[in-house]
């Protein structure tokens, strides 16, 4: 341990590295990920989690964290859940953690930055570790799309609405998608082509078993809607991918937001899901080595950027350059795998073309159009999926990003260490 500290001190005294050399250097004080798992993403309405509550799913995932990591729960000092729709999320994560076997000394909190809430939870825990507030923490993203909602129940105060951007914060997400399609000439055909590729990639990944090492099976109960009879089931696979989806079949789907435009449909927009969840266990590298925990990846950093609310979908095109600029990285040359949330095909196509992303690197296993976009869970789910894909390809640098309602974008950067 003394030699590790000496190495860390020498690193601070020697000339600083930049770019890839800097972020791939391993130091005892690095914040690292030692476990990254998620539940399956079920279909809305009739899917495997239709009768599963958010609290039970969080509880079930927390038990899986303890089982998979074999970590002493006494060592986990804080748990942060990213969630959008449930105002009682902080209550849920605290109670669920106690029920799952964490001690009363483990804290619990919730964060909400809409679609980036899962990544925000990771950033929150990582920052606490980096600042020395805690040594080990757990970030969760979890969401039940049938609970509550992120729309305002009543208009904002008249004084606020005198500002047009503030007024635009109230636009439905479907309207913002149509704004992007219209303002930037993202055609219906280009959106359907992108969506078809997302479905086809998810189908290939599922058939090849690529998702298997990121998903933990969940035991739950399904009720027959007619008889009320309960059936115990184990959900172990994503239910969103529609095998056999083609561009031609998507062209037949009617616009979903016809009052705003004619380009976004149920086929080229993200799916909604019953409560899925993802978990990321973080600690300092020195702590992981002390505990003999496997180091999956290094957390490099994350950032947020704002933009006009009416075109919130293009947020990743603002956040990604901002984040990469902080670490002197080139998107084309330095980044290996990209998980960019497909809230709508309109924004995904815009970001793909504007940032000149190599599509072969982005959403290799499909994205939210095929898998689903449970708001608070997405930011954590992307990390789990992205790191699994990095391991499969034996690639190092993972970039995740998403647009955020009310006009924001967020991005996160990670180094895979399982080569």
């Amino acid at each position: 341990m003394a030699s590790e500290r000496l190495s860390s001190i020498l690193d601070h005294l020697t000339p600083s590295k930049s770019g890839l050399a800097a972020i791939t250097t391993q130091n005892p004080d690095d914040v690292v990920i030692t476990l990254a798992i998620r539940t399956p993403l079920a279909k809305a309405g009739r899917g495997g989690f239709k009768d599963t509550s958010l609290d039970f799913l969080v509880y079930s995932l927390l038990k899986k964290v303890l089982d998979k990591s074999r970590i002493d729960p006494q060592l986990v000092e804080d748990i942060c859940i990213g969630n959008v729709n449930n105002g009682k999320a902080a209550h849920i994560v605290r109670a669920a953690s106690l029920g799952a076997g964490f001690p009363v000394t483990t804290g619990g909190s919730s964060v909400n930055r809409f679609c980036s809430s899962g990544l925000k939870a990771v950033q929150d825990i990582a920052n606490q570790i980096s600042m020395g507030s805690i040594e080990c923490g757990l970030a969760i993203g979890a969401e039940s799309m049938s609970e509550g909602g992120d729309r305002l129940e009543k208009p904002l105060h008249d004084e606020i609405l005198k500002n047009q951007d503030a007024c635009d914060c109230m636009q439905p997400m479907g309207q913002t998608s149509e704004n992007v399609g219209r303002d930037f000439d993202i055609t219906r055909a280009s959106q359907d082509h992108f969506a078809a590729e997302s479905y086809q990639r998810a189908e290939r990944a599922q058939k090849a078993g690529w998702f298997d090492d990121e998903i933990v099976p969940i035991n739950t109960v399904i009720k027959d809607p007619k008889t009320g009879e309960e059936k115990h089931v184990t959900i172990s696979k994503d239910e969103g991918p529609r095998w056999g989806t083609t561009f031609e079949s998507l062209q037949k789907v009617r616009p979903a937001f016809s009052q705003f435009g004619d380009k976004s449909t149920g086929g080229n927009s993200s799916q909604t899901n019953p409560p899925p969840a993802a978990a990321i266990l973080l600690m300092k590298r020195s702590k992981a080595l002390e505990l003999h925990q496997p180091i999956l990846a290094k957390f490099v950093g994350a950032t947020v950027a704002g933009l006009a609310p009416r075109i919130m979908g293009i947020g990743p095109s603002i956040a990604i350059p901002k984040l990469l600029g902080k670490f002197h990285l080139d998107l084309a040359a330095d980044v290996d795998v990209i998980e960019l949330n497909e809230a709508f095909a309109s924004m995904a196509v815009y970001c793909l073309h504007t940032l000149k992303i190599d599509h072969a690197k982005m959403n290799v296993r499909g994205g939210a159009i095929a898998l689903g976009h449970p708001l608070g869970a997405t930011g954590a789910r992307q990390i789990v999926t992205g790191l699994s894909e990095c391991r499969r390809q034996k690639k190092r640098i993972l970039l995740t990003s998403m647009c955020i309602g009310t006009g924001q974008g967020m991005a996160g950067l990670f180094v895979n260490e399982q080569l």
Side-chain angles (χ1 to χ4, degrees), residues 223-230:
K223 295 179 183 178
D224 186 302
K226 294 181 179 179
T227 66
E229 180 183 357
E230 294 187 348

Side-chain angles (χ1 to χ4, degrees), residues 40-96:
L41 295 164
K43 281 185 177 179
R46 295 177 294 176
F49 289 144
K50 71 181 184 67
D51 300 309
T52 302
S53 62
L54 179 67
D55 58 344
F56 179 76
L57 197 79
V58 171
Y59 160 82
S60 299
L61 184 60
L62 288 171
K63 288 183 73 69
K64 293 287 186 181
V65 167
L66 293 178
D67 179 61
K68 298 278 286 185
S69 69
R70 300 295 182 187
I71 194 170
D72 180 354
Q74 299 279 349
L75 298 174
V76 180
E77 298 174 74
D78 200 9
I79 303 174
C80 182
I81 184 172
N83 179 272
V84 179
N85 288 330
N86 195 310
K88 299 178 178 64
H91 197 148
I92 288 172
V93 73
R94 174 63 173 164

